[in-house]
Amino acid sequence: YKRQHTPTRVVLTRQLALLGYQCENATQGQAALHMWQSGNFDLILTDCHMPVMDGYELTSQIRQMERDNKDLGHIPIIAITANAMKEASEQCMTCGMDDYLTKPVELKKLNASIIKWLKLSPASPQTIKPTSTNAEERDSPICMQSLKEILGTTDSSIVSPLLEGYWESVAEDLTSAEHALLEQDELNLQQIAHAAKGAARSAGAQNLAETFEKIQNIAPQKDWNALSNTLMESKTEAEKLRVYLIEQSIIESTEASL
């Protein structure tokens, strides 16, 4: 399994362990390629956007090596993408990927895709009973129902470390986004927002994810006033998250405000 952004990687690693799979991680595409060449893997999960070498180039290089050496066979490659647009799915297929899943990846969808591409015996995907979603749940910085669908559990021993790690990540994302905004670097800002959106969804921070999605969509237009306002919305949502995590005793009250 190959993935860059830490919160998403933590969630997927947890999901794979829950499903009974062992995995190894690479933080960028070049390292993933070297791992595949020297290891013995049954399947690759890859983000489309990684440093040094992205998931598209990683897949293209693996497919070329497989064509050059028939003994390598065909390893299934599944993309994990935050982009549900048709163009993104077409790009995944064009470069040689077998399938793609959109973040946040629900446990049962991940399991179904892995079973399909590994050609394992049919297994019953985990069923999660839906719970009612009231106004309080919708207003909460963390949607526990979303986390349950993603992780298969809301056990605090699993959720708390994930959210603690996510808090560190989102603080870094906001700092990076602010720097990109000050430098009026729309491409970097768009990439930061794209990764932050996926991480937020994987952590159940739906409201925060929506603000990052707005930034991602506005960045190409270079509307700096709108971007500044939307980044303030992100900071407001992040502050709500900080208070929530303190109340749940997940982080210390000494954590700095954003």
Side-chain angles (χ1 to χ4, degrees):
Y1 154 66
K2 330 294 175 190
R3 169 62 192 153
Q4 178 206 354
H5 207 271
T6 300
T8 305
R9 186 168 67 242
V10 170
V11 169
L12 277 170
T13 300
R14 156 66 190 165
Q15 289 176 315
L16 291 169
L18 193 62
L19 294 171
Y21 299 110
Q22 293 181 327
C23 71
E24 293 186 29
N25 296 296
T27 57
Q28 43 97 342
Q30 188 68 54
L33 182 62
H34 290 157
M35 286 173 62
W36 171 75
Q37 289 175 299
S38 60
N40 182 22
F41 299 96
D42 297 312
L43 181 143
I44 294 174
L45 293 171
T46 180
D47 197 341
C48 294
H49 302 282
M50 295 183 289
V52 184
M53 177 189 294
D54 64 21
Y56 303 118
E57 180 62 23
L58 169 65
T59 302
S60 295
Q61 291 206 22
I62 289 175
R63 295 302 181 226
Q64 184 60 54
M65 292 178 187
E66 289 174 339
R67 285 191 291 270
D68 294 340
N69 183 358
K70 300 299 183 184
D71 292 338
L72 291 175
H74 178 97
I75 187 168
I77 300 177
I78 302 173
I80 306 293
T81 175
N83 192 344
M85 299 295 289
K86 181 181 178 182
E87 293 80 3
S89 64
E90 290 175 349
Q91 190 173 2
C92 290
M93 299 300 107
T94 299
C95 74
M97 294 175 178
D98 298 289
D99 202 355
Y100 71 96
L101 298 169
T102 304
K103 303 175 197 172
V105 182
E106 293 182 7
L107 190 70
K108 55 186 176 181
K109 290 182 180 178
L110 177 64
N111 193 33
S113 184
I114 291 174
I115 289 171
K116 173 183 176 181
W117 292 107
L118 287 181
K119 296 180 170 58
L120 298 176
S121 300
S124 300
Q126 181 171 337
T127 301
I128 298 170
K129 296 180 180 180
T131 57
S132 59
T133 304
N134 54 29
E136 183 178 351
E137 172 75 4
R138 287 194 300 271
D139 291 338
S140 173
I142 297 296
C143 177
M144 296 307 295
Q145 176 63 17
S146 294
L147 270 184
K148 186 175 182 180
E149 291 171 353
I150 294 166
L151 295 174
T153 182
T154 55
D155 189 294
S156 61
S157 66
I158 293 166
V159 171
S160 294
L162 169 69
L163 293 180
E164 183 180 11
Y166 174 63
W167 170 251
E168 295 176 3
S169 171
V170 75
E172 293 175 3
D173 288 336
L174 287 169
T175 299
S176 298
E178 192 163 28
H179 289 162
L181 180 62
L182 289 172
E183 295 171 359
Q184 296 195 346
D185 185 345
E186 72 277 5
L187 292 179
N188 189 29
L189 183 57
Q190 186 178 28
Q191 290 173 355
I192 292 166
H194 174 85
K197 175 186 69 176
R201 286 178 174 166
S202 294
Q206 305 294 6
N207 295 338
L208 194 51
E210 289 177 7
T211 67
F212 285 128
E213 185 170 27
K214 288 181 186 177
I215 292 172
Q216 179 187 344
N217 293 336
I218 299 171
Q221 303 168 22
K222 301 183 183 180
D223 188 338
W224 305 114
N225 286 333
L227 287 167
S228 179
N229 291 335
T230 308
L231 185 56
M232 285 302 300
E233 291 179 23
S234 298
K235 289 183 176 181
T236 299
E237 290 299 330
E239 179 60 18
K240 292 178 183 177
L241 174 62
R242 187 185 73 90
V243 172
Y244 172 86
L245 295 177
I246 291 171
E247 290 175 347
Q248 300 298 317
S249 300
I250 294 173
I251 64 173
E252 298 292 333
S253 58
T254 53
E255 292 281 356
S257 299
L258 294 169

